[in-house]
Amino acid sequence: MNIYNLTYDELESYFLSIGEKKYRASQVFEWLYKKRVTSFSEMTNLGNKLISVLEKEFSFYIPTIVNSEHDKDVDKFLFKLQDGEHIESVLMHHDYGLSLCISSQVGCNMGCVFCESGKRKKVRNLEVYEMLLQIIEIERITKKRISHIVIMGIGEPFDNFDNLVKFITNCNDYRALEIGSRHITVSTCGIVPKIYEFSKLPYQVNLAISLHSAFDDKRSKIMPVNKAYPLKDVIDAVKDYYSVTGRRITFEYILLDGINNSVDDAKELCKLVKGLNCYINLIPYNEGSSMGFKRPKNDAIMKFYDIIKKEGINVTVRREFGSKISAACGQLRSKKEEE
Ligand code: SAH
């Protein structure tokens, strides 16, 4: 088990279980998350005996960055994991700070037809440490502090729920990465039972749902998950989420030319979300992949935007990062596989 897989409470219980004092957890967390050492032997205040116990009990494996691409406002990193698998993270430079888009699985089973990540079926879930170390390693390399996290990289985070929750716990914990929960956003394709579970967590984390069509038949065609959890169930879960948390939800809507960007599509979308406390993020399709879809022209994007805006619904068009460097989901890893 990797040491970064443990939450503070779990580490405390571990130390109690081996007859050590609770405060050892605070010492170890300080070394891991504040001083950022890369081995147990550097944790000098633990004493040699405890260090060798920890060395036997836990792994300190750190995934390595094996490739990166850089553009003006975006950096993309390819990580190699212990078992040889690859995942990627995208660092976006905003005026409000640095936001890192992290992966949650190797491959993805959701099968969205436009998404490069799903070309490869899920191989496995990422462990907690593999998610946390995307942040820590990129901070180490760039020497910059990442202020925002979006879990929108490869994988479906709600299909790796338990690890996701521990990851968020350690992102948010003031003794660990200390990233404010309002600066963390989880994006799901709409796994309904997990939306209900997510709303019960004690965090103020943002939730985004990939909608991509307000018509059930069309959504099922581009997002097979809709067959299991159709729009009505998603909207019911969103209403429950709002009543439990009081937090506004984000709907992501990718714009695929000639597929889901007609006037009818826009009107149906307005009808679907009318009255919900939500925000629509229109995502012009990033064409840097071989999935065969097209990004609509700018005037078509603005036309779609205007229809929603006129209905008094909060809507923005997502700023496009990294289309030059294949920064959309799964594209860097795909390139690696083709080599
Ligand atoms: N599985 C989760 C999170 C990963 S995908 C989810 O579905 O939300 C994150 C977002 O990127 C989703 O909205 C997805 O539909 C979108 N996306 C995937 N490929 C894209 C591309 N080529 N261009 C723009 N957005 C893309």
Side-chain angles (χ1 to χ4, degrees), residues 114-116 151-153 155-157 187-189 210 212 252 254 283-286 289 318 328-329 331:
F114 48 82
C115 181
E116 188 94 17
I151 302 137
M152 295 187 183
E156 167 48 48
S187 173
T188 177
C189 62
S210 297
H212 306 339
E252 295 162 278
I254 192 172
I283 314 174
Y285 184 63
N286 181 323
S289 66
R318 181 184 287 176
C329 282
Q331 293 175 348

Side-chain angles (χ1 to χ4, degrees), residues 90-260:
V90 181
L91 184 64
M92 293 162 287
H93 302 246
H94 291 277
D95 7 323
Y96 55 75
L98 287 179
S99 169
L100 186 68
C101 176
I102 74 146
S103 295
S104 57
Q105 296 180 317
V106 176
C108 181
N109 272 348
M110 299 303 126
C112 301
V113 296
F114 48 82
C115 181
E116 188 94 17
S117 306
K119 267 167 76 181
R120 188 165 179 224
K121 287 273 154 259
K122 177 171 111 178
V123 175
R124 64 176 177 86
N125 284 328
L126 290 192
E127 291 188 36
V128 181
Y129 84 94
E130 292 170 316
M131 292 192 261
L132 285 169
L133 283 161
Q134 294 173 57
I135 305 171
I136 293 173
E137 281 309 285
I138 289 171
E139 286 194 337
R140 198 194 309 278
I141 278 208
T142 59
K143 300 191 172 60
K144 289 189 181 124
R145 159 113 174 122
I146 291 165
S147 55
H148 291 68
I149 301 296
V150 294
I151 302 137
M152 295 187 183
I154 301 173
E156 167 48 48
F158 280 2
D159 186 34
N160 185 13
F161 197 80
D162 296 346
N163 288 345
L164 173 76
V165 173
K166 284 187 190 183
F167 164 76
I168 292 172
T169 305
N170 283 6
C171 273
N172 190 228
D173 192 336
Y174 68 95
R175 296 157 300 200
L177 289 180
E178 215 177 349
I179 298 172
S181 49
R182 284 163 202 274
H183 287 191
I184 302 171
T185 301
V186 177
S187 173
T188 177
C189 62
I191 302 193
V192 165
K194 296 296 172 192
I195 299 175
Y196 286 97
E197 258 186 74
F198 191 74
S199 68
K200 296 192 186 78
L201 296 179
Y203 304 109
Q204 302 280 309
V205 173
N206 306 306
L207 181 60
I209 295 184
S210 297
L211 206 54
H212 306 339
S213 176
F215 292 109
D216 262 317
D217 50 350
K218 194 178 288 190
R219 191 168 188 262
S220 293
K221 276 194 194 125
I222 57 176
M223 300 179 72
V225 69
N226 192 67
K227 292 176 202 153
Y229 305 115
L231 286 164
K232 184 187 174 305
D233 297 359
V234 173
I235 298 300
D236 283 347
V238 165
K239 286 181 183 155
D240 173 81
Y241 175 85
Y242 182 71
S243 72
V244 174
T245 66
R247 287 199 302 276
R248 183 170 76 168
I249 211 152
T250 301
F251 288 116
E252 295 162 278
Y253 194 102
I254 192 172
L255 290 165
L256 304 163
D257 195 33
I259 307 279
N260 67 351

